[in-house]
Amino acid sequence: LMCAGGNDVKYGTIYPAAYNNVAGVGAIDLENKLTTTWGEHIDFSSVAGYSTSNDNKYEVAGAYTSYATPVASGLMALV
């Protein structure tokens, strides 16, 4: 089970990502900088923040864990 690790840009613990047997996911931006909550509950980090717009282009939507978690989950499914 993977859960978003929180979007506060500070050290902290976010649940449910911090529960045992749950993989917490953080997000990094295009410069490989962690842009979300960090702490012991973060097990993976993923690039996030791109979404399609109404005119069929990719736009930066922000590097948030709600975008990073599906990317990390898809990678784990392939592994």
Side-chain angles (χ1 to χ4, degrees):
L1 179 63
M2 294 186 130
C3 290
N7 293 319
D8 295 332
V9 185
K10 62 181 181 180
Y11 179 86
T13 302
I14 304 293
Y15 289 91
Y19 286 124
N20 291 333
N21 301 318
V22 173
V25 180
I28 56 175
D29 62 14
L30 293 176
E31 298 171 356
N32 292 327
K33 184 173 115 181
L34 188 66
T35 60
T36 56
T37 306
W38 65 90
E40 288 81 20
H41 70 289
I42 300 297
D43 299 297
F44 301 98
S45 292
S46 174
V47 174
Y50 281 102
S51 183
T52 54
S53 65
N54 291 335
D55 56 355
N56 296 323
K57 295 180 182 177
Y58 283 109
E59 293 184 354
V60 176
Y64 300 113
T65 56
S66 57
Y67 291 112
T69 302
V71 174
S73 296
L75 178 62
M76 291 306 294
L78 291 172
V79 170

